[in-house]
Amino acid sequence: GKDSTATLQLVWTALSELPEEKRQTPVYVIASDTLVETPVIVDHITQSLRKINESAQAKGLPFTAHKVVPKTTDTFWVNLIGRGYPAPSQRFRWCTERMKIRPANQFILEKAAEFGEVIMILGARKSESASRAQVMRNNKKDPGSLLRQHHSLARAKVYTPIEDFTTDDVWTYLLQVESPWGSNNRDLAAMYRTAQ
């Protein structure tokens, strides 16, 4: 999405400016495919991850992009038809946790086990919603740091570089700064316009 893309572009640009010997730590880019996305979204995810991997390798950057998917038991159709869950709603949002968050957390936990700890860089913004702003205010940054402790993953810290951006800030940045891995941010904007 727009927030994750803007965040990745900022991180990519910052790391690109470091000397090669200082950019040795692996950076994993993950995208969740819920397996019920529209073909347009699936194509966007697939093409973006491919371009990120190709560009990172060509430029000698430590990025690798990965798609995560839910376990079969957590998929939409298994829960809707197999378990009889009602369709997701604002009051019963079972799909986000099972189909997006769990697969991402599994990937993160594997990397935390491999490296001892991880820093998650998220495109979370305070202006997304009142509840998001409240969560970010309550989860204070570590003293003298830009990082917060993740609320449920013990060996994960969180960095939110665009936390003070508005939606307009995100779009202004994306439409004025070209994607460093060769995607077209105007295509992303068109997807959002079409979705609405």
Side-chain angles (χ1 to χ4, degrees), residues 25-28 30 104-122 142 147-150 152-159:
T25 302
V27 178
Y28 300 96
I30 59 173
N105 282 353
Q106 182 60 42
F107 185 94
I108 293 161
L109 288 170
E110 289 169 9
K111 296 306 171 192
E114 182 179 348
F115 295 104
E117 67 178 352
V118 297
I119 297 174
M120 298 168 53
I121 305 172
L122 302 177
D142 294 345
L147 306 177
R148 295 176 170 89
Q149 180 61 49
H150 190 275
S152 64
L153 303 177
R155 294 190 289 173
K157 299 279 188 178
V158 177
Y159 175 50

Side-chain angles (χ1 to χ4, degrees), residues 46-63:
T46 302
Q47 294 304 317
S48 294
L49 297 181
R50 181 186 56 76
K51 287 179 180 182
I52 289 165
N53 283 328
E54 289 172 356
S55 183
Q57 185 173 14
K59 295 175 181 178
L61 293 170
F63 294 87

Side-chain angles (χ1 to χ4, degrees), residues 25-36:
T25 302
V27 178
Y28 300 96
V29 177
I30 59 173
S32 293
D33 179 352
T34 63
L35 304 177
V36 287

Side-chain angles (χ1 to χ4, degrees), residues 1 6 43 48 50 63-64 92 107 123 125 129-130 161 185:
D43 287 347
S48 294
R50 181 186 56 76
F63 294 87
T64 56
F92 188 48
F107 185 94
R125 294 180 300 109
S129 68
N185 289 335

